[in-house]
Amino acid sequence: MMTLAIQDQRLAKPGPQNAALRDYDSVRRAIAFISENWRAQPTIEAMADAAGVTADELHHLFRRWASITPKAFMQALTLDHAKGLLRDSASILDAALDSGLSGPGRLHDLFVTHEAMSPGEWKNGGAGLTLRFGFHPSPFGTAIVIATDRGLAGLAFADPGDEKAALADMTRRWRNATYVEDHEGTAPLAARIFDTKLWRPDQPLRVVLIGTDFEVRVWETLLKIPMGRAVSYSDIACNINSPKASRAVGAAVGKNPVSFVVPCHRALGKSGTLTGYHWGITRKQAMLGWEAGQLGMQ
C-alpha cells in the first residue's frame, strides 16, 4: 500500500530545511494580494498586512526568497512585464530549434537533458514502471518529486494540507505503475532542481518525459524557452508545425508532469496574460517573479 511521507511530519518539524516552506507561505499570501491590486501599486505596508508580517519582515523575506524587493516583484507581475516576456521570444525559440537543441544538451537554465519513453509505455499506463516519490520543501511550497531509474519523471507542488491530493493527481497519470515512497532517494533530485548553485552544465539533470507523442513535442519546445522569456501557445503550435493547434498545445502544457523544470509557467496568452496553471496561478506568478530575481543576480 502506498504511504505518504507527509504523514510522518518530516516537513512539519522546525529547522532550516523548512525555511523555504515558511517563506513561501507568506510569499503566497503577498502574491495573491499583489496580483489583485498591482494596478493601484500598493505600498509595502499594505502587502505586508496581507501577508501577516511587518513591512521590514516582508522586505527581508522577498530578498531572501527571490533576491528582489517586494516592489520589484510587483513590477515583475504587471501585464506590461508579461507582454515584455513575449517580445522577441518567437525568434529566440526559432534560433534554438535551428541550432539543433531538439536533442540532449543545454536546453535551458537547469542544464536539462531529456529522453521520451516509448508510446507503448505511455499507453499501458506505466505498467512495469517503478516510480519513487518524496515530499520536499521548495521555494514554491511542498514539492512532490517522482523519479524512475532513468531520471526525474514528475514534479508537482502543493499548499499545506493538499499534499495527498497533489500526489493522487500525479499517480493518476500513470495508473498502472508501482509507486514506492523514497524520501532519501528523491532528495538529491530536489536539491538539484531548487539549489541554483547546483545548476551545472557538466552535470545535467536527466528528465524522462512520459506522454503522447504530441505532448512530448510540446514539452520539448517548452524546454527551449530561456529564463526571463516566454512564448504564446500559438508560437509553440507554429514551432511544432501545427499552427492551428493552439488549444491542443494549451491542453498539453496543462498536462506537463514536470512542473518548473519543463517550464510551462513561461507559456502565456497571446496578449501576455498570465493564463491558468495546473498548480495555481499564484504559483505561476511566483515562479516568474523568482526567476526575475535570479536574473537580477547575474
Side-chain angles (χ1 to χ4, degrees), residues 11-292:
L11 297 179
K13 294 180 180 178
Q17 66 172 336
N18 292 311
L21 291 181
R22 293 194 299 273
D23 285 355
Y24 181 69
D25 185 55
S26 295
V27 166
R28 176 172 55 84
R29 284 175 283 167
I31 292 172
F33 174 79
I34 294 170
S35 64
E36 293 176 1
N37 299 278
W38 61 265
R39 290 177 179 82
Q41 297 292 292
T43 64
I44 189 173
E45 286 78 14
M47 300 179 203
D49 185 61
V53 296
T54 68
D56 284 343
E57 287 172 337
L58 185 65
H59 179 84
H60 292 300
L61 168 63
F62 267 82
R63 294 290 297 180
R64 180 170 67 250
W65 179 75
S67 302
I68 55 178
T69 65
K71 181 178 180 180
F73 185 85
M74 179 169 62
Q75 293 171 341
L77 293 185
T78 64
L79 184 59
D80 285 341
H81 176 76
K83 290 179 179 177
L85 289 175
L86 290 172
R87 294 190 188 108
D88 301 322
S89 60
S91 61
I92 291 173
L93 187 55
D94 287 339
L97 290 167
D98 291 342
S99 299
L101 291 183
S102 56
R106 180 184 172 178
L107 297 181
H108 77 322
D109 359 274
L110 287 177
F111 304 111
V112 170
T113 184
H114 75 279
E115 66 173 287
M117 287 196 167
S118 70
E121 289 173 303
W122 171 80
K123 287 181 180 178
N124 65 18
L129 276 178
T130 296
L131 297 177
R132 297 174 289 111
F133 71 90
F135 294 86
H136 304 276
S138 87
F140 313 110
T142 299
I144 304 168
V145 177
I146 298 177
T148 73
D149 291 337
R150 289 189 252 178
L152 178 71
L155 178 62
F157 295 96
D159 292 327
D162 294 335
E163 295 86 357
K164 186 175 181 180
L167 178 60
D169 172 64
M170 294 298 286
T171 58
R172 281 194 296 268
R173 297 165 187 255
W174 312 296
R175 60 191 180 281
N176 296 325
T178 298
Y179 291 87
V180 178
E181 177 188 356
D182 187 4
H183 180 271
E184 292 185 1
T186 53
L189 279 174
R192 285 291 316 280
I193 295 165
F194 300 113
D195 186 347
T196 56
K197 295 188 292 293
L198 299 179
W199 294 5
R200 297 174 52 182
D202 58 329
Q203 295 181 5
L205 177 67
R206 190 161 192 80
V207 174
V208 178
L209 302 178
I210 309 174
T212 67
D213 177 67
F214 181 84
E215 288 169 347
V216 168
R217 287 163 59 203
V218 170
W219 301 338
E220 287 176 334
T221 303
L222 291 173
L223 280 169
K224 298 171 182 67
I225 308 172
M227 181 185 287
R229 295 288 181 177
V231 299
S232 67
Y233 299 125
S234 58
D235 287 335
I236 296 173
C238 288
N239 275 284
I240 62 172
N241 298 316
S242 300
K244 296 182 179 180
S246 294
R247 286 191 177 183
V249 165
V253 169
K255 292 180 181 178
N256 169 30
V258 192
S259 177
F260 185 66
V261 173
V262 178
C264 51
H265 58 282
R266 297 177 193 161
L268 306 177
K270 194 168 186 178
S271 65
T273 53
L274 296 175
T275 51
Y277 188 60
H278 189 75
W279 289 276
I281 192 68
T282 297
R283 191 166 277 107
K284 181 173 185 173
Q285 294 168 320
M287 289 177 180
L288 292 172
W290 185 88
E291 289 182 340

